[in-house]
Amino acid sequence: SYVPRPRAVAVAMVDTRDRMVVPVPKADLMDQPEYRRLVATLRCICCGAVGYSQAAHPNTGKGMSMKTDDRDCFPLCTVGANDCHGGFDQRAMFSKEKRRELEPLWGAQTRAILRKLAMFDNGARRIVERAIGL
């Protein structure tokens, strides 16, 4: 009888020497809705709007059916005149080079803000401690 065995999830990559497909393991990504909700409570990191943010993921390393790590996300507003999230992702608010420069910077700034918040809010402390550490 057939018994399926668990396997590591992998994506295919072409080896240019022999044109053969080589499995490449996916990175261990954090998917934590509580952390994303906490990021969404912050003001927009681009324009400073309050109350309209969503947790935006960097576009670097993304592809079809590929996600990025929640620890790298940052708050961008979605409603109102600015709609920074839509502008950042679809409307080329910044050049690709500028976005690649801003994404890690905004991710680091967001983690720093959340660590400071965790010092005064026990609910945030629990989430931050589990997701990114203090």
Side-chain angles (χ1 to χ4, degrees):
S1 78
Y2 173 74
V3 178
R5 293 185 322 220
R7 307 184 306 163
V9 178
V11 294
M13 185 173 152
V14 176
D15 183 331
T16 54
R17 290 173 293 147
D18 300 322
R19 301 279 183 207
M20 58 191 301
V21 175
V22 179
V24 177
K26 289 185 178 181
D28 185 25
L29 302 177
M30 184 187 81
D31 179 19
Q32 197 170 83
E34 279 185 320
Y35 182 76
R36 290 193 305 269
R37 282 193 292 273
L38 186 60
V39 170
T41 65
L42 303 175
R43 67 177 52 239
C44 177
I45 203 157
C46 185
C47 74
V50 177
Y52 300 106
S53 293
Q54 284 184 342
H57 289 85
N59 293 321
T60 306
K62 267 167 83 168
M64 186 175 278
S65 299
M66 293 177 71
K67 305 293 182 201
T68 57
D69 198 307
D70 284 349
R71 291 172 282 214
D72 297 329
C73 66
F74 42 87
L76 287 177
C77 66
T78 57
V79 180
N82 294 332
D83 183 24
C84 295
H85 197 167
F88 191 80
D89 282 342
Q90 284 97 27
R91 292 192 305 280
M93 177 188 280
F94 300 105
S95 68
K96 185 176 181 177
E97 295 77 25
K98 184 67 174 174
R99 284 194 326 263
R100 298 302 182 255
E101 179 185 317
L102 288 172
E103 291 168 344
L105 175 67
W106 284 352
Q109 287 175 345
T110 300
R111 290 187 297 276
I113 291 167
L114 290 175
R115 285 185 177 112
K116 285 181 185 176
L117 175 65
M119 293 190 314
F120 305 103
D121 182 326
N122 287 334
R125 181 180 183 86
R126 182 182 52 80
I127 296 167
V128 169
E129 211 167 34
R130 185 175 41 225
I132 57 174
L134 295 176

